[in-house]
Amino acid sequence: MSALVDAFGRPLRNLRLSVTDRCNLRCSYCMPEAEYVWLPKPNVLTFEEIARVVAAFVTLGVDELRLTGGEPLLRADLPVLVRMLAARPGLREIAMTSNGVLLGEHAAALRAAGLQRLTVSLDTLDAATFRLLSRRDDLDRVLAGIDAARAAGFAGLKLDTVVIAGVNDAELPALLDYARGIAAEIRFIEYMDVGGATQWSPEHVVPRARMLELLRRSHGPIRELPRTDSAPAERFVLADGTTFGIIASVTKPFCSTCDRSRLTADGMWFTCLYATHGTDLRALLRDGADDDTLRARLAQVWQARRDRGAEVRAALPDRRALAAAASLRQNPHLEMHTRGG
Ligand code: SAM
Ligand code: SF4
Ligand code: SF4
């Protein structure tokens, strides 16, 4: 069978699976509002439904799965799901992105269940800035969670930092040193105007070039590493061999090689982070569609895919926040914490 590609020749390889829309933090760049409209509980896919959908995706070329959310560790019995998915042939990698707060309790069980890779979001090492950014007082728990992940044997740990001008940009050198000290690779992410980021404005973005300038000043010469895959991060190396990444989704979008799509906890499939419409896979599943019908629908949607959301946004003359809070309440599927980062 020839590989499934979209209208621009991009394969379907990477699925981000949001297992819950709930979160225990309230990051200012993702969940700044006072209240949220949550997905109705009965709509949330069961583990069996998730496993069936994942099996269909795998037959179409997906070999990399990332569990995300909301905060994935808020989904009860997550190791049970990981075990079910890890037993499936065809998946090269099962990874998870977490805010780390609950990792201390769950890291060992997830590792034992077959989770291979872990990315922890860490925006600051300063307790006051953490409180300001996330509206919670949990920095110590996040750092303890990272320690627990290392103790559980997660090799190749990654840290993700959303960089916001005037908030945590001065901390880039310290964060890089922290990552180096625990043998993790840190990726600095440009603050994106995704759904949920209702406070976004161009002035808050620290462009890739500025990040490199700050890090050159603190850490000396930086060399760019050649790209080896379609991953969003550009990778760099310091003179001492320390590597780090930059995800420049705002100033240097990478839509031309994008092989990712996202499935919400209630089974809506989005082929772009910025897509306003998705495909309702829950309805298909619960209406009794067989595996061939499910696969055919996925293939049809992917073949028609023409998304290049970040490039379209980058070309806007007056770029402002993507969505206002009122429209997010009407359509929570637009939220980053719902569709999964
Ligand atoms: N709760 C988990 C966490 O924070 O790691 C997983 C879900 S979160 C939506 C996934 C990633 O999206 C996080 O690394 C977060 O920093 C990133 N993210 C959320 N809003 C963003 C924004 N406006 N710009 C850039 N990255 C963002
Ligand atoms: Fe922060 Fe992740 Fe929660 Fe969004 S989903 S508020 S990025 S911890
Ligand atoms: Fe892929 Fe859409 Fe992100 Fe572009 S904006 S990299 S097409 S998810």
Side-chain angles (χ1 to χ4, degrees), residues 30 43 87 102 132 204 206 209 214 218 222 227 246 328 338:
C30 179
N43 289 0
L102 296 171
L132 180 84
H204 292 139
V206 181
L214 288 169
S218 58
I222 293 172
R227 279 187 175 260
I246 294 185
L328 294 173
T338 304

Side-chain angles (χ1 to χ4, degrees), residues 37-99:
V37 176
W38 306 109
L39 300 177
K41 284 262 166 69
N43 289 0
V44 171
L45 299 187
T46 64
F47 287 172
E48 287 71 24
E49 287 172 325
I50 291 174
R52 233 192 108 195
V53 177
V54 168
F57 274 109
V58 167
T59 62
L60 294 173
V62 166
D63 63 358
E64 211 181 316
L65 190 69
R66 178 167 294 273
L67 304 177
T68 179
E71 173 48 37
L73 294 179
L74 291 181
R75 178 80 186 242
D77 301 322
L78 195 63
V80 174
L81 176 65
V82 170
R83 201 171 287 283
M84 284 166 77
L85 298 173
R88 171 157 306 289
L91 276 178
R92 192 172 46 82
E93 182 170 299
I94 305 181
M96 182 176 80
T97 299
S98 164
N99 63 28

Side-chain angles (χ1 to χ4, degrees), residues 160 187-190 192 211 232-234 245-250 254:
D160 275 0
R187 288 108 52 95
F188 298 112
I189 306 174
E190 289 180 349
M192 294 169 70
M211 293 189 207
E234 292 173 84
I246 294 185
I247 302 183
S249 329
V250 177
F254 34 81

Side-chain angles (χ1 to χ4, degrees), residues 22-27 29-31 69-71 99 121 337:
R22 319 280 159 135
C23 193
N24 45 3
L25 297 184
R26 289 290 180 274
C27 303
Y29 48 78
C30 179
M31 298 187 73
E71 173 48 37
N99 63 28
S121 300
H337 72 92

